[in-house]
Amino acid sequence: MYNIAVIPGDGIGKEVVKATITVLDSLDIDFNYTYAEAGDECKEKTGEALPNDTLELAKKSDAVLFGAAGETAADVIVRLRRELNTFVNLRPVKSLQPDKYGNIDFMIVRENTEDLYIGDEYETEEGAIARKKITRFASERISDYAFKYAKDTGRKKVTAVHKANVLKLSDGLFRDSFYKIAEKYPEIETNDFYVDATAMYLITNPLDFEVIVTTNLYGDILSDEGAGLVGGLGMIPSANIGDDNGLFEPVHGSAPDIAGQGIADPAATILSACMMLDYLGESESARKVEKVLIDVIQEGKEVTPDLGGNASTQEMAEYIASKI
Ligand code: NAI
Ligand code: MG
């Protein structure tokens, strides 16, 4: 039995998590779910966006399934990733509708603990300053993860993304750490690009990318761009992984523009649950859910509007569950 902390959060977070649990329940695996609160609504109710109980539950569970927070995202999800020391954020950008978007398939390996996301901001007389933290330790650790991932999954190339021409010391250190670690993996091809150029190459040459390793902020931005390449944010899952914890969540936020309408695409969260199954050692089930999900999306009948159908979030999930 697996103890899973479930944090639906705000807006569509609640809807896509409910749908994902419906899918997980169709598997022959014993999950013990404990629900916990966090996010905007939780803050309004309790005064805290991430209550201690929620944090403690997340720490002691076998894995965490997270939906989305709203305006409190920095205090909830960014803090959770840091407190759980999940130093890697894996964000696969894979086209599930190759007829529509081509065979795009690359992995973004995002550093998850430092960069501008340490949230060290302060006011000055003229305005405000935010500090960006890049350490040799975290840069080498994330590079090593990216190379190991490439090796284990049969990918041939790892691309580092940075802005070392302007941020010579911080991003320069990130790039140098990447090439230092690369020496351990002579069989893997390497290159590096500035983040601005990468933003263009992802559109002009998306098939050239296999594994991207980058710092926290660039990884955040490029993964939403990646979502745009393959049909939108409803499709991109993520896994936050550390030595002792795993936290799984869609890349998207609480989507107030569509919240409450029951039309959010649950695919990103279902795929995040597949990454959770892999993490728990249930890879056979992960592949099964993935396959059914892809078949359902390609069939295009019982799917949400962003996928060309008119099913609700929950109807799509129930259809997937019935096929499993
Ligand atoms: P968002 O990811 O919530 O939405 C961006 C756009 O994508 C919207 O048009 C939305 O309708 C669409 N979209 C997102 N998920 C979808 C899905 N599953 N199916 C169909 N369409 C989907 O980002 P936005 O609008 O910038 O932020 C909204 C709120 O979410 C903000 O309060 C923000 O702070 C928070 N946020 C939280 C995150 C988290 O908890 N991990 C991540 C990103 C934003
Ligand atoms: Mg983001």
Side-chain angles (χ1 to χ4, degrees), residues 12 16 40 66-74 77 81 91 220 224 232-235 249-258 263-269 304 306:
I12 66 165
V16 293
D40 296 4
F66 181 84
E71 287 305 296
T72 54
I77 188 65
R81 292 172 187 149
R91 300 186 150 191
D220 191 2
D224 274 31
L233 278 164
M235 320 277 278
E249 45 152 350
V251 163
H252 64 72
S254 61
D257 55 338
I258 59 165
I263 56 167
D265 184 346
T269 313
T304 47
D306 61 308

Side-chain angles (χ1 to χ4, degrees), residues 185-323:
Y185 300 88
E187 70 278 23
I188 309 273
E189 199 187 315
T190 55
N191 61 357
D192 70 284
F193 294 126
Y194 299 128
V195 63
D196 44 354
T198 308
M200 182 190 74
Y201 294 146
L202 283 182
I203 291 168
T204 57
N205 305 55
L207 301 179
D208 288 354
F209 293 91
E210 295 191 47
V211 177
I212 289 175
V213 61
T214 190
T215 53
N216 209 336
L217 173 65
Y218 308 148
D220 191 2
I221 296 169
L222 295 178
S223 49
D224 274 31
E225 187 183 356
L229 287 171
V230 298
L233 278 164
M235 320 277 278
I236 307 288
S238 81
N240 302 273
I241 294 172
D243 291 330
D244 305 313
N245 291 290
L247 187 164
F248 303 85
E249 45 152 350
V251 163
H252 64 72
S254 61
D257 55 338
I258 59 165
Q261 298 175 31
I263 56 167
D265 184 346
T269 313
I270 294 170
L271 289 169
S272 303
C274 290
M275 296 178 93
M276 179 176 88
L277 289 168
D278 276 323
Y279 172 80
L280 294 171
E282 300 284 351
S283 295
E284 207 177 298
S285 295
R287 297 294 83 72
K288 187 171 170 185
V289 175
E290 249 168 41
K291 184 175 183 317
V292 172
L293 173 70
I294 291 170
D295 287 349
V296 166
I297 288 174
Q298 284 174 0
E299 186 189 62
K301 273 194 332 208
E302 286 294 307
V303 293
T304 47
D306 61 308
L307 293 167
N310 50 28
S312 70
T313 309
Q314 195 56 28
E315 282 164 352
M316 179 167 159
E318 273 156 25
Y319 186 64
I320 292 167
S322 74
K323 297 227 161 204

